[in-house]
Amino acid sequence: MMQEYLQNLNEPQFLAVTAGPGPTLVLAGPGSGKTGVLTRRVVYLLREVSVRPSAIMAVTFTNKASAEMRKRIEGFLQDRVAGLQIGTFHATCARLLRIEAAHTGYREDYVIYDSDDQLSAVRQAMSELEINAQKYSPQRVLAAISAAKNEFILPGDFVASDYFGEIVARVYPRYQRLLRDSSAMDFDDLLVQMALLLRENDAVRAKYQKRFEHILVDEFQDTNMVQYELVKLFGAVRRVAVEQRIF
């Protein structure tokens, strides 16, 4: 008899849920059940393949989606699954960075700046650099810094393409120094600092590559450069040819 969580799946969905070892790319349109497939894939790995909960990382783009995914998984398994890592990229990285704080140069109780904190820091950096905040919008400067971080461009690697870019190139490193001096990160730093840690620290990278045997990413097509880099770094050991399943 077919397990309850496998019922009501069409054939391509069933194949995606029960796929063998190795990366699987599921291509599907809006409303076609991608998150449901991801949820059932986690249940399949836990129940049928006997994968340890702590060996699975499932990443979504919103807190609401991650909470719903955990609720569904626990519903299928009738209990809480200790050690299962489900969350947004930001929440997952924030948690791991606190665990690995000793390797980052930040305190374990580092602060996460919200948008108001970030804007205040940009204004302070611009003031210290004697850049006119009336002429050059701090909001626009902050947006440019955020865009650079999303592309995994560090302060020293930022290349200006126009005069405004030159302003950003001056503010970005000073802004970053203000944050670090306060042991603070903005939301983008959570991803950038985790990617840097995995890229530069062999022991930490090996630790998490060994731990996370299965990495499941919802809405993979929406990942930006730093998110894509994180997925590659976490899963580098197990990269093989990608299967495409369309439904």
Side-chain angles (χ1 to χ4, degrees):
M1 181 177 178
M2 183 176 291
Q3 298 282 5
E4 176 190 0
Y5 70 94
L6 295 175
Q7 295 175 4
N8 302 318
L9 296 176
N10 61 35
E11 183 177 357
Q13 290 172 332
F14 179 85
L15 291 173
V17 170
T18 60
T24 298
L25 177 63
V26 178
L27 303 178
S32 55
K34 296 186 295 296
T35 303
V37 164
L38 205 66
T39 299
R40 288 166 171 78
R41 173 68 172 170
V42 172
V43 176
Y44 174 81
L45 291 171
L46 293 171
R47 182 180 286 182
E48 313 301 337
V49 189
S50 299
V51 174
R52 294 173 291 105
S54 61
I56 297 175
M57 176 195 292
V59 182
T60 67
F61 278 82
T62 68
N63 290 322
K64 180 179 179 181
S66 63
E68 179 62 26
M69 184 180 293
R70 180 175 289 277
K71 181 179 178 181
R72 289 188 192 181
I73 291 170
E74 291 174 351
F76 282 125
L77 297 174
Q78 302 302 314
D79 59 11
R80 299 191 63 82
V81 184
L84 182 62
Q85 178 61 55
I86 299 178
T88 63
F89 276 102
H90 294 85
T92 298
C93 290
R95 176 177 175 273
L96 297 181
L97 284 169
R98 294 198 189 280
I99 293 173
E100 305 297 341
H103 302 292
T104 67
Y106 290 85
R107 298 195 307 266
E108 183 179 346
D109 61 345
Y110 68 82
V111 177
I112 301 175
Y113 275 7
D114 62 18
S115 56
D116 290 339
D117 296 325
Q118 294 169 44
L119 195 56
S120 178
V122 167
R123 288 196 176 103
Q124 181 179 342
M126 292 176 69
S127 176
E128 292 176 358
L129 294 167
E130 298 183 348
I131 297 173
N132 190 336
Q134 298 299 318
K135 186 175 181 180
Y136 302 103
S137 164
Q139 290 89 342
R140 188 180 171 202
V141 172
L142 178 59
I145 292 172
S146 178
K149 290 182 180 183
N150 285 336
E151 292 302 311
F152 205 14
I153 299 172
L154 304 178
D157 300 324
F158 186 89
V159 177
S161 59
D162 54 23
Y163 189 71
F164 176 74
E166 293 179 9
I167 296 297
V168 175
R170 293 174 60 196
V171 175
Y172 186 4
R174 182 57 189 154
Y175 165 80
Q176 206 60 34
R177 174 51 58 187
L178 289 171
L179 266 63
R180 184 171 284 275
D181 287 348
S182 300
S183 196
M185 299 188 202
D186 61 23
F187 288 111
D188 298 315
D189 282 330
L190 296 172
L191 277 58
V192 170
Q193 293 302 320
M194 190 72 232
L196 286 174
L197 177 60
L198 292 173
R199 190 172 71 179
E200 297 173 359
N201 190 304
D202 294 344
V204 173
R205 183 174 65 254
K207 171 184 175 179
Y208 288 107
Q209 287 178 345
K210 181 179 180 180
R211 172 183 168 182
F212 293 122
E213 300 172 6
H214 299 270
I215 302 170
L216 298 90
V217 184
D218 199 10
E219 304 289 356
F220 181 76
Q221 76 282 355
D222 290 334
T223 54
N224 58 34
M225 184 58 70
V226 69
Q227 291 165 340
Y228 178 62
E229 187 69 15
L230 281 166
V231 174
K232 287 200 303 179
L233 287 165
F234 276 121
V237 171
R238 296 177 175 82
R239 276 208 302 268
V240 295
V242 173
E243 289 186 51
Q244 297 187 356
R245 304 184 184 279
I246 305 174
F247 58 87

